[in-house]
Amino acid sequence: MKLERLTDSTRREHIVRSLRELIVSGAVPAGSRLTETQLSAELGVSRAPLREAIRELVSSGLLVSQPYKGLFVRGVSRRDLEELYSLRTTLEQMAFRECWSRRDDEALSDLDARHEKLVETTERGEDPVGAIELEMKLHSWCYELSGHRLLTDAWERIMPSLQFYFTLHQRAHSRPGPRLDAHETYVALAKGSDLAAMLAHLEEHMQQGLARTMQLLRSDAEPTET
Amino acid sequence: MKLERLTDSTRREHIVRSLRELIVSGAVPAGSRLTETQLSAELGVSRAPLREAIRELVSSGLLVSQPYKGLFVRGVSRRDLEELYSLRTTLEQMAFRECWSRRDDEALSDLDARHEKLVETTERGEDPVGAIELEMKLHSWCYELSGHRLLTDAWERIMPSLQFYFTLHQRAHSRPGPRLDAHETYVALAKGSDLAAMLAHLEEHMQQGLARTMQLLRSDAEPTET
DNA sequence: GATAATAGTATTGTCGACAATATGACAAGC
DNA sequence: GCTTGTCATATTGTCGACAATACTATTATC
């Protein structure tokens, strides 16, 4: 029997998850100023593990540290979104290529199962924020399928920012951000046999997502820079 | 006038650079076991900033942390190399695309200048390890040219591992690892006008690099796993 | 002799206090 | 009025000590 690694032993990991959740869910709005002292008091931990957790969030772009001034929750600017989408497109295309060259049918049916679960949750419509998280996990699963650890790591790094944006988006328009049909398409793509077509479709898919996103962004208040 | 930001104020940053240098240069061999206490004594700093530095190196894959056992300098396995090269190829192709769509002629001539400097240093042949570092910087410069911060970050994360391997390689065979003509080609590529050709050449270029590398690896002692 | 309990040791995880640093307000001088 | 120096304050950076944890060797027991 293989044991699932218990992920939560240390406080540092717990803090990372707590803080990420707070930011990504929008509970702490973009642009907010935080300080280590205040956080350590509120979270009930000392600053040592807190600082290590913060570094991690800074490294994934969710927080910006301005030494001796404070920590700021990073907003998602237009430019950030463009970069996020372009890098993401490149990474997912690569993931597709890797999956395609492996052709692991069993894993692909697992993908179906996961997709099914996502659809259920989303259609019930109870927990839109949770649905976004599930969508992220769906993509993560594809990366894991590729068996490419470095690639997966790269995705995991930009994922929180993406999730952050989707949640913002979701709150602003109280409509399901990510589209169900898009997921159908995505899963179908991942299972496709014509690689070139898959890549082209993915690219178009992403560009559409970005376009829709940018359009909505234009009607929002200008998001926080840096 | 725009001032360069002084990068070295804190100890954490200093430790990161010191440790990275020690590992990447091969002064601390792959597989070595390190402990926080020992390191803090040797480096003359307390464990607080040291731990933060260590996290960073773990995150970039140079160290592996085994809680309550120690820190281990990560070797570069065959599989690691494949992943490193494939991800790198994807990222550099993307960087090329971005640069190409910008067409910043001034910046491209800067690239020439940097290349010139690299050639000088390498041809003198005094400091092979330094030459590797210069090569890394040459690539970094291309990424910066792309103006894509996220992409550049992704590169900066895998760069230390790559540099690590090149240095290992260099020491093992005491021959210039990276090839000068390859740089010529690379710079020429970056300045090219036919994007599709550029991408194809880059891919071939990378595959050749990986092939040569794997061949040499086969003759080495099997590098440390995990 | 083999096995399980146990104490000892090495290592990381965490904490509270202190030092260093940057910032902003305010006063002094030109 | 504008600059410049100084000082108080807020914040991060660092430290040394202690607690928790996991590994190891030893011992006791069957």
Side-chain angles (χ1 to χ4, degrees), chain A residues 60-113:
Chain A
S60 67
L62 249 41
L63 286 176
V64 174
S65 161
Q66 295 196 16
Y68 302 107
K69 292 188 78 170
L71 296 154
F72 296 85
V73 180
R74 176 157 180 182
V76 181
S77 71
R78 210 159 288 183
R79 162 105 183 273
D80 290 335
L81 261 182
E82 286 172 352
E83 293 199 351
L84 218 45
Y85 263 88
S86 58
L87 181 57
R88 186 192 173 197
T89 302
T90 298
L91 293 181
E92 300 230 343
Q93 285 186 328
M94 178 170 172
F96 271 19
R97 275 198 299 268
E98 297 280 326
C99 285
W100 185 82
S101 66
R102 297 198 140 213
R103 274 255 147 265
D104 182 342
D105 290 329
E106 184 188 352
L108 281 179
S109 62
D110 274 6
L111 184 62
D112 266 336

Side-chain angles (χ1 to χ4, degrees), chain A residues 143-166:
Chain A
Y143 282 94
E144 279 168 27
L145 269 191
S146 76
H148 199 302
R149 181 185 301 263
L150 233 47
L151 178 60
T152 307
D153 284 351
W155 158 250
E156 300 277 358
R157 281 228 180 61
I158 63 169
M159 189 185 71
S161 295
L162 208 58
Q163 188 177 351
F164 181 37
Y165 173 74
F166 280 149

Side-chain angles (χ1 to χ4, degrees), chain B residues 29-188:
Chain B
S32 302
R33 175 174 173 273
L34 307 170
T35 67
E36 295 183 358
T37 320
Q38 163 205 348
L39 279 176
S40 84
E42 284 179 15
L43 297 174
V45 294
S46 84
R47 283 177 51 221
L50 175 66
R51 278 175 64 90
E52 294 178 23
I54 287 175
R55 291 276 165 222
E56 200 165 324
L57 296 174
V58 167
S59 143
S60 67
L62 250 40
L63 287 175
V64 175
S65 160
Q66 295 196 18
Y68 301 106
K69 292 188 77 173
L71 296 155
F72 297 85
V73 179
R74 177 159 180 178
V76 180
S77 72
R78 208 159 289 184
R79 163 105 183 272
D80 289 335
L81 261 182
E82 287 172 351
E83 293 200 351
L84 218 44
Y85 262 89
S86 60
L87 181 56
R88 185 191 173 196
T89 303
T90 299
L91 293 181
E92 300 231 343
Q93 285 185 328
M94 179 169 170
F96 271 21
R97 275 200 298 270
E98 297 280 326
C99 285
W100 185 81
S101 66
R102 297 198 142 212
R103 275 255 147 263
D104 184 339
D105 291 328
E106 185 189 352
L108 281 178
S109 62
D110 273 7
L111 185 62
D112 267 335
R114 300 217 169 194
H115 176 232
E116 198 60 39
K117 189 176 161 195
L118 173 63
V119 170
E120 279 177 29
T121 309
T122 315
E123 283 189 341
R124 258 189 279 128
E126 295 161 1
D127 182 8
V129 174
I132 292 176
E133 198 174 334
L134 272 180
E135 168 172 23
M136 292 297 122
K137 282 191 180 156
L138 183 71
H139 287 274
S140 288
W141 183 239
C142 286
Y143 282 93
E144 279 167 26
L145 267 190
S146 76
H148 198 301
R149 181 184 302 265
L150 234 46
L151 178 59
T152 307
D153 284 352
W155 159 251
E156 300 277 356
R157 279 226 184 61
I158 65 169
M159 190 185 70
S161 294
L162 207 58
Q163 188 177 349
F164 180 37
Y165 173 74
F166 281 149
T167 309
L168 274 184
H169 191 271
Q170 155 77 34
R171 302 233 157 186
H173 304 86
S174 55
R175 295 177 59 232
R179 292 77 37 208
L180 270 182
D181 58 333
H183 297 150
E184 299 278 3
T185 311
Y186 184 76
V187 172

